[in-house]
Amino acid sequence: MTQFALTDDQIAIRETAERFTAAEITPHAAEWDEKHIFPRDTIKRAADLGFAAIYVSEDSGGIGLGRLEAALIMEAMAYGCPSTSAFISIHNMASWMIDCFGGARVKEKYLPSLVSMDAIASYCLTEPGSGSDAAAMKTSAVRDGDHYVVNGAKAFISGAGANDIYVTMVRTGADGPGGVSCLVIEKDMPGVSFGANERKLGWHSQPTAQVHFDDVRVPVENRVGEEGHGFKFAMAGLDGGRLNIGACSLGGAQRALDEAIAYTRDRRQFGKSIVDFQATQFKLADMETDLQAARALLYMAAAKVSAGAPDKTKFAAMAKRLATDAGSSVVDRALQLHGGYGYLMDYPIERLWRDLRVHQILEGTNEVMRIITARELLRAAN
């Protein structure tokens, strides 16, 4: 069993995240959702535990953990609020990209404030005209001396307008992936502006908007890595991002399952608790099985990404697809078990249902996850 069990350190990390969630997130999540409150102070307190730089190296001020430990943290925080956990995940992805691929100057310029979350980062890849076909992006960066002049727009950016730093994929060369580079752009640089907050089904505890760049002059020293390598960096970031968003689905679904068990024990119909009906027990059993299967694959994929395994991208895609599909399905069945009460905001189920739905779309749609899986599968078969 040793190879399938968490280590003592991993259990301690998970328990720390669970205690933080119980004290700082769960009691407030419903209000954040209802009133569209961005809990910046709570997010900042997560940074005090190292949760703003989970896999940023210790040399750069992070806590230098692996992708499995990150998944455990995201899963635990999502138990209280999937939206807030996912927001912290995105900041971690952006910070890691600077640490992993950036030169000394850009790291020393930005990582200290990102590790402490005195500054918060967004990840900017998607554009109004390029979603799944990310390599078709049009936002341009033209070299002008020791600056790039950036023009274009990014869409569906978590934290847009509220965050301080935007790790942005821009086109510095020809069409296609090889013409993409990565720049760190600050909120207050002249020419940076933001669209109105999007009116979303869920994820109400974080702002989402477009980011516009109009002749924004960005120092060349803010480039992450070499020109033309940005798309490769973006995809590497998404391997971890997909694990984290899958973990957020697991956490939200676990909360929904626990709520469903408690509710069906208390709710009585036809003279007995509805949990005593075999139909209810079968539904709960299937929910648990689906959740455990998704968790096992996601933890395996996390270990592969940490180890740099050759099939890490395929496993990250499979795990993201399975965990987010299973998570949404578990929450949907939990809502059904609650009956009409599950549709009310007095219970957390409808919020979990809304928050988890977008996980099947972002960090690469689940259709794209199937494309990646099939491509890697057929490549290995040749």
Side-chain angles (χ1 to χ4, degrees):
M1 285 298 295
T2 303
Q3 70 185 102
F4 301 109
L6 298 178
T7 67
D8 289 343
D9 285 346
Q10 289 167 340
I11 292 170
I13 290 164
R14 182 181 64 189
E15 290 175 347
T16 297
E18 289 172 344
R19 287 193 296 270
F20 175 79
T21 299
E24 301 286 351
I25 296 178
T26 305
H28 311 292
E31 182 184 13
W32 296 342
D33 174 76
E34 182 178 0
K35 298 180 180 178
H36 293 234
I37 295 170
F38 175 49
R40 190 173 186 120
D41 290 344
T42 301
I43 291 169
K44 179 71 166 61
R45 285 193 288 276
D48 295 338
L49 297 173
F51 294 170
I54 298 168
Y55 34 86
V56 170
S57 64
E58 291 182 284
D59 288 344
S60 295
I63 57 176
L65 299 179
R67 299 310 178 119
L68 176 52
E69 290 81 8
L72 294 172
I73 292 167
M74 296 302 160
E75 183 179 350
M77 291 193 294
Y79 190 91
C81 180
S83 170
T84 302
S85 184
F87 184 88
I88 294 172
S89 165
I90 294 166
H91 171 88
N92 271 272
M93 177 167 61
S95 300
W96 171 80
M97 289 175 65
I98 295 173
D99 181 45
C100 188
F101 302 115
R105 178 63 185 133
V106 74
K107 289 200 282 189
E108 66 189 25
K109 188 175 180 180
Y110 292 109
L111 282 177
S113 61
L114 293 174
V115 166
S116 64
M117 259 189 173
D118 290 328
I120 303 179
S122 292
Y123 171 86
C124 300
L125 175 65
T126 300
E127 296 184 359
S130 63
S132 293
D133 186 11
M137 55 183 293
K138 299 297 184 185
T139 295
S140 64
V142 178
R143 183 76 178 259
D144 181 25
D146 58 359
H147 286 76
Y148 288 99
V149 180
V150 180
N151 285 280
K154 298 294 181 178
F156 301 113
I157 303 305
S158 291
N163 287 359
D164 312 281
I165 303 297
Y166 298 84
V167 178
T168 306
M169 306 308 130
V170 296
R171 185 160 301 285
T172 53
D175 291 345
V180 176
S181 300
C182 178
L183 297 179
V184 179
I185 301 177
E186 299 174 17
K187 174 183 180 179
D188 295 330
M189 287 178 172
V192 177
S193 62
F194 304 95
N197 280 337
E198 304 290 0
R199 300 170 65 238
K200 300 171 295 186
L201 175 70
W203 276 27
H204 290 166
S205 73
Q206 53 168 290
T208 304
Q210 289 193 9
V211 185
H212 300 280
F213 307 105
D214 298 296
D215 290 329
V216 180
R217 296 185 65 83
V218 181
V220 170
E221 68 178 21
N222 280 28
R223 190 183 65 220
V224 176
E226 298 299 319
E227 273 198 7
H229 291 184
F231 195 77
K232 178 176 65 176
F233 301 158
M235 295 302 102
L238 285 176
D239 278 347
R242 287 164 182 163
L243 296 174
N244 286 350
I245 210 65
C248 288
S249 283
L250 295 178
Q254 186 65 59
R255 172 75 179 281
L257 176 56
D258 292 348
E259 294 283 345
I261 292 170
Y263 178 83
T264 55
R265 279 175 170 162
D266 289 343
R267 177 69 169 170
R268 297 182 64 83
Q269 293 288 282
F270 304 103
K272 60 181 178 179
S273 296
I274 61 175
V275 78
D276 292 329
F277 290 100
Q278 191 176 60
T280 301
Q281 294 176 7
F282 279 11
K283 190 182 291 287
L284 292 171
D286 286 346
M287 292 160 71
E288 169 71 358
T289 302
D290 292 348
L291 190 54
Q292 293 292 355
R295 182 177 285 122
L297 180 58
L298 189 124
Y299 287 6
M300 179 189 294
K304 283 179 175 286
V305 171
S306 285
D311 54 1
K312 63 180 181 180
T313 295
K314 181 183 77 170
F315 270 81
M318 291 192 300
K320 188 268 183 182
R321 200 283 302 166
L322 183 62
T324 57
D325 280 353
S328 286
S329 176
V330 166
V331 174
D332 188 70
R333 283 175 278 177
L335 194 154
Q336 189 72 19
L337 286 171
H338 278 72
Y341 291 106
Y343 204 67
L344 302 181
M345 292 179 68
D346 304 85
Y347 293 78
I349 300 300
E350 61 84 30
R351 171 171 57 84
L352 296 169
W353 187 90
R354 288 185 287 105
D355 280 350
L356 263 61
R357 181 59 184 87
V358 75
H359 295 185
Q360 295 167 290
I361 298 171
L362 50 78
E363 309 287 28
T365 67
N366 283 8
E367 289 75 20
V368 169
M369 297 305 98
R370 291 178 171 91
I371 291 172
I372 293 170
T373 303
R375 181 189 67 206
E376 297 299 317
L377 178 66
L378 296 175
R379 180 182 296 162
N382 287 336

